[in-house]
Each structure stands twice: as structure tokens, then as C-alpha cells.
Amino acid sequence: MKANKILVLEPVAEAGIRLMRDAGLDVVDVSKATDDERQSQLADATAVIIRSGSQVDEEFMAKAPHLEAVARAGVGLDNIDLVAATRRGVAVMNTPGGNATAAAEHTMALMLSVARHVAPAHGSLAEGKWDRHRFLGVELAGRRLGLIGVGRVGSLVASRAQAFGMEVWVTDPFLSDDKAASMGVTRVELDRLVAECDVLSLHLPLTEETKQLINAESIARMKPGTILVNCARGGLIDEDAVAAALESGQLGGVAVDVFPQEPPKSSPLLGHPRVSHTPHLGASTQEAKENVSLTLARALVALFRDGDFSSVVNLPFGGADLRKMAPLLDLAQRLGRFQGGLLLGAPQRVELELATDDSEDPAPLASAFLTGLLEVVCGPEVNAVNAQLKAEEMGITLSHGRRPGEPDFPRLLSTRVSDGTHMHGVDGGLLAPHTPRIVRVDGQWMDVEPVGDLMVLWNQDRPGVLGKVATLLGSRNINVGELRMGRDPQASQAISVWQVDQPIELEVKLALKEIAEVEDVRQVRLGAKRSRRV
Ligand code: 3PG
């Protein structure tokens, strides 16, 4: 395995670090080091593990030229420039769900804290006062909670709030009526939810669309005395508008675990008597830390050891079961490399068709194929993350589709690549799940194991040609492992694929072309048995 340096930039539970080290990854924990030390370690880092305290942008990635993965120990991706990462082929992964219970419980803690003035009452008692009348609270029971966003965390808050006797209203474009019914919540539009709930809690990511969703205008539409809870992202609320509404009484109380800038420097909410605040502790439980660390560690090991992209969020396709498709993805990438080796000019058109009776989506296969093809054309910086983007930038037209499976080949992957002048067709199939084969080259059936260094030769179909080629290879001390042939008797043309123990040098290629019957020769490099990457 290639030595991969996984740089831990922010604290994660030891269990994940151990798991990665046991799997042979080189893990360097600089979470407690100085800023300078952390920066200097970026130079040869293959992956970084971060939490919400790091900004991964162009500037960051420029300092980490070997970066292949950014692993977010947590759910929020707003501190990662996904567009820049994708362009660079940097895989981004997170751990949705691992800290959802922790975040939901913290939401309830803050909600109760505001309702019962826990924070100011605690402070008052600590100052030696016994003030039993100043901190008159309200009950959650019987009140209406409005959840803005009901993903993993929001759903857990809903059931906990229901246990407290709250009526729960939700707004979320991704929630179906059936799901809402099964959760026992009422689905309403955002405007109505904001205007008619007693407590509002935010559970959505920070994006351009959701930035300052809670602002002077939306606050003005709330019921006077509404309680606002934000354990999601600081940027979701306009803090100045929230502070003003606390003064006017439009907001009865506010709880925040997150701030637009962390740590907050000049937040108007800091120290306010009707604000309960914590320093981004939503995910800070032992259980969540361990879950997240282990999930991330497994995802990184899968990526670097098995080329398994299943946990990557910035792939150009989603929803496919990549683990199940791994053998086909590997085949597609090898076919791409094979086609790359046949090219004489830049690829212009790529067509891929999967013949299958199963339900596999050809889109991930097209990406894997492009990865193999563009590895040959552009170099190793191309991978499954950026291959499609690279192809678009190069003006390559890509089409992919499916057709019913062929009786002899239940899964046959047909590919065609044109450089504007020449078009080659290469088909591959799986004899067994992990037994890929190239079965057709330019219309000629054959049976080639797509591994190692191959020499592809087009020649006139006459006696003695193979002997001449073999003699020439022998004279250059090039060992031939296997030879496969296909031919078109009508056209008197043959194609042969030679598995050789070393790459064919230009001088050998030129010498081969001197043989009268040899029409063309190409060198194809497919790599070891299984690709590191899909
Ligand atoms: C998350 O996005 O998962 C939470 O905000 C937790 O962030 P943290 O790992 O920085 O505590």
C-alpha cells in the first residue's frame, strides 16, 4: 500500500486513530500542535481530518499539494470549499448521523435552559444569591415547537419534544407527507411555522439560501415572546436582529450553541441575560466523538486501502451502491485506461453502454471509465471525484446508457472513444465478480485479462506475422506472458493483444512497424490486479 499520511488537525476520539494505524495508515496527530506546526505538516499530507474549526479553501489546499481527501469528523460541510476540492480531485467525506443524538439532546438541554432560566439562575446562585422569584419559567408541555429542518437531528428533537408534551410542527422540503404522519408532526410552510409556534429550533445546513434565515423580517412575523434555539450553524441567524428582538421582547429567550464567527469576538448575544449559550458543544459527547471517529476512520481505510469511494460526498453521481458495483467500476476504469492507450489525439467523444438485466446505474461506470481514460491523457491527478469535471473542461462529449443483457455476457460494458479521426471500440465483461475480461476490441472477439502492460497490434492476417513479432520482442529481451488474438477473415485483418513483462519502448514500436504486415502498434498500461481507486 502507498504510504498515506493522515493528518489529524482537530481532536477526534482515539478509537478511530487506532483503527487507522492498525490498518497500516500513517496517522499524524497535530491537533494539539501550534498553528505553524500544523501548517508545515500539510506539505505531504494525503488526507486531513478536521472538525468545524478549520477552513478548507483554495489557500489551504495550495499548502497541501498531495491532498486526496478531507475527512470531516461531523456533519457540517460549510467550512469546506466543495467546488475547489472537487476541481482538485480531493474527496470530501463526513459522518452524517454519528453525532445526531448528541446534537438533539443538546438542543433539548438548551431549550429547557432558556425555558427555566437555568444559566442565569446558576450564575445568580454562584454569586451567593437565593433568588427564587426572579427566574419564573415557562413549561414546554402544551407549547408548539416549530422545527426548521427535520433531517437526522430534527427528527430526534421532534420525538424528544413530543415526550415533553409539545405539539411539533415542521417545515422541510424533503419530508414527505407519509413520513410526517408517521412522526406525528404537522407539516406547514415556513412562513406559517415562524408565525404560529412558541418555540423555534433550527436544524438545517448553512448555505447561500439559508444564510440569515432568521432576520429582522422573519422575527417581526413571530409571536411575541417566541423562544429561539440554534444548535445548527451560527450564520443561520442575524445576531443583531436577534439581540434587538430580545430587547423589544419580541423574542422571549434565545439559546445558541453556534456563532457566525467561532470563537465569537463581538457577538451581541454573548452574556445577554436572556441568552443561554455554549461553545459549539452540540456534538461533544463521548459517544458521538467515538461514533464519528470510528466511522471516519473506516471510511478513510476503505478509500486508501480498497479504493472505496462510498463515503465520498463530492462524487458527480449519488445514490449508487458503489460497494456492490466495485468489480464493474474496476472493469470500467481498466477499459478507460485501455482506450487511453489506443488514443492518438485528445479524446473528443466517449460513449458507454452497459448491457445488463440488473438495475445498475451506468453513470458511476461512465465516471470510472473517464477516470481511467483521463489518467492516461492528463496524469494521476485525475480521479473519480474530478474526472467528469475534467472531461467537461476538455470539451469531451459523454453519453452513457443501458441495454438488455446479452445471453453470453450478463454484464457487458461497451465503450467507444473517438479522437475526431479514429474511433475505437473496447468491450469488457465480468466472468465472475472479480474476474474482469476485455472481450472485444474494434469488433474482434477475444479474451484478455485487463492487467499489467499490454501491447496491441493491428496486422494483416497472413502466416508468419506473429513469429516475426515474437522474434523481435525476444531479440529485445521482452518476455511475453500471454497472447490473445481476434480476426476479421473477410477483411484479412487481425488484432493481437500481447501481455508483456515490461513497457514497450518507442524504439521497439518503430521496429515493429517496420514489419511489412504490421499496421499499427500501441502500448496500454493497466496497472496491477485491482485498481486502488474506482
Ligand atoms: C457538526 O457539524 O457535526 C457539528 O457542528 C459538530 O462540529 P464539531 O465536530 O466541530 O464539534
Side-chain angles (χ1 to χ4, degrees):
M1 191 188 354
K2 182 183 162 208
N4 288 294
K5 177 171 149 187
I6 315 290
L7 198 61
V8 182
L9 290 175
E10 294 186 69
V12 292
E14 192 53 37
I17 295 182
R18 235 184 354 257
L19 188 146
M20 288 186 283
R21 286 190 175 138
D22 288 350
L25 297 182
D26 175 19
V27 185
V28 180
D29 186 351
V30 289
S31 59
K32 295 189 184 77
T34 62
D35 259 2
D36 283 351
E37 223 172 300
R38 278 205 290 262
Q39 303 282 325
S40 71
Q41 292 278 357
L42 284 175
D44 59 348
T46 325
V48 289
I49 294 182
I50 59 157
R51 290 175 51 188
S52 57
S54 309
Q55 281 299 326
V56 178
D57 49 19
E58 282 283 14
E59 200 190 328
F60 177 103
M61 286 185 275
K63 291 181 200 147
H66 304 288
L67 197 64
E68 293 183 26
V70 175
R72 167 72 166 95
V75 64
L77 296 171
D78 46 293
N79 53 333
I80 301 169
D81 183 338
L82 281 172
V83 175
T86 306
R87 194 168 295 281
R88 277 176 175 262
V90 173
V92 176
M93 34 183 54
N94 66 348
T95 56
N99 55 24
T101 301
E105 289 188 0
H106 198 61
T107 303
M108 295 310 293
L110 287 188
M111 201 185 296
L112 286 160
S113 172
V114 177
R116 302 302 294 270
H117 309 291
V118 172
H122 171 94
S124 156
L125 183 57
E127 282 169 14
K129 296 181 193 147
W130 185 253
D131 202 344
R132 299 188 57 230
H133 306 295
R134 212 175 109 211
F135 300 114
L136 186 66
V138 293
E139 292 179 6
L140 295 183
R143 288 200 146 66
R144 184 180 294 144
L145 169 66
L147 296 175
I148 307 181
V150 267
R152 291 182 176 83
V153 180
S155 317
L156 295 175
V157 171
S159 58
R160 280 151 182 78
Q162 284 163 336
F164 272 87
M166 299 186 89
E167 180 192 1
V168 180
W169 282 17
V170 302
T171 186
D172 188 325
F174 303 108
L175 184 77
S176 66
D177 285 336
D178 284 354
K179 181 81 180 45
S182 75
M183 288 169 66
V185 297
T186 306
R187 238 185 109 195
V188 294
E189 292 300 316
L190 177 65
D191 283 354
R192 195 165 161 221
L193 181 117
V194 163
E196 295 184 33
C197 288
D198 306 298
V199 181
L200 290 172
S201 188
L202 309 180
H203 300 285
L204 67 171
L206 177 64
T207 63
E208 274 313 309
E209 290 73 43
T210 62
K211 200 170 173 185
Q212 300 209 336
L213 185 79
I214 302 298
N215 50 37
E217 200 195 311
S218 52
I219 293 170
R221 282 187 274 116
M222 292 176 189
K223 282 169 127 180
T226 297
I227 290 176
L228 177 67
V229 183
N230 185 14
C231 280
R233 281 294 176 268
L236 294 170
I237 67 174
D238 174 347
E239 288 194 326
D240 290 329
V242 167
L246 277 167
E247 291 312 315
S248 72
Q250 178 66 359
L251 283 174
V254 171
V256 286
D257 181 45
V258 284
F259 296 85
Q261 183 193 19
E262 294 184 358
K265 293 224 166 70
S266 59
S267 168
L269 304 182
L270 279 185
H272 193 288
R274 271 180 296 127
V275 176
S276 270
H277 43 46
T278 44
H280 203 148
L281 294 181
S284 293
T285 63
Q286 288 174 9
E287 295 85 349
K289 289 283 147 280
E290 184 139 335
N291 280 343
V292 160
S293 168
L294 283 171
T295 307
L296 208 60
R298 287 189 192 109
L300 281 167
V301 170
L303 179 69
F304 286 114
R305 195 182 56 192
D306 309 327
D308 177 349
F309 273 71
S310 309
S311 306
V312 174
V313 298
N314 59 336
L315 289 174
F317 43 84
D321 185 346
L322 297 185
R323 268 186 206 107
K324 198 168 143 221
M325 288 181 81
L328 264 182
L329 289 163
D330 182 53
L331 170 71
Q333 185 172 1
R334 286 169 189 279
L335 292 177
R337 286 190 197 142
F338 194 99
Q339 284 273 24
L342 304 189
L343 280 170
L344 285 179
Q348 291 188 8
R349 208 169 76 235
V350 169
E351 294 165 21
L352 180 137
E353 197 175 43
L354 176 66
T356 179
D357 291 327
D358 288 337
S359 59
E360 283 109 350
D361 176 7
L365 298 177
S367 252
F369 178 79
L370 280 176
T371 305
L373 183 79
L374 297 184
E375 272 173 359
V376 179
V377 178
C378 310
E381 74 270 15
V382 181
N383 61 26
V385 171
N386 63 5
Q388 213 150 304
L389 202 66
K390 268 249 157 31
E392 276 164 32
E393 285 170 0
M394 292 170 72
I396 299 172
T397 19
L398 168 71
S399 66
H400 56 77
R402 282 158 51 106
R403 62 172 195 267
E406 298 188 10
D408 294 336
F409 294 102
R411 280 139 140 203
L412 185 70
L413 197 54
S414 304
T415 72
R416 281 148 67 89
V417 175
S418 160
D419 61 10
T421 317
H422 304 94
M423 160 87 89
H424 288 289
V426 180
D427 298 359
L430 295 174
L431 292 189
H434 295 282
T435 315
R437 285 288 184 274
I438 289 171
V439 295
R440 194 157 43 184
V441 179
D442 286 350
Q444 313 293 322
W445 290 101
M446 55 181 76
D447 173 12
V448 178
E449 190 184 8
V451 172
D453 287 315
L454 304 178
M455 179 182 85
V456 185
L457 194 112
W458 290 260
N459 63 283
Q460 291 158 21
D461 190 17
R462 300 227 194 98
V465 183
L466 297 183
K468 290 182 198 170
V469 172
T471 305
L472 194 142
L473 293 179
S475 73
R476 302 298 198 281
N477 215 16
I478 296 171
N479 200 33
V480 177
E482 238 177 65
L483 169 60
R484 301 287 169 160
M485 288 174 297
R487 63 181 185 152
D488 179 356
Q490 265 143 28
S492 299
Q493 277 216 316
I495 300 178
S496 49
V497 178
W498 305 62
Q499 205 142 39
V500 282
D501 285 0
Q502 69 208 67
I504 304 289
E505 311 250 317
L506 181 63
E507 180 274 320
V508 182
K509 264 198 233 171
L510 294 175
L512 285 165
K513 281 194 179 180
E514 291 293 305
I515 299 172
E517 297 88 347
V518 170
E519 289 171 347
D520 219 337
V521 189
R522 298 275 204 293
Q523 145 100 6
V524 170
R525 309 207 67 190
L526 295 178
K529 192 129 191 125
R530 196 174 184 290
S531 303
R532 201 180 130 260
R533 293 242 158 142
V534 291

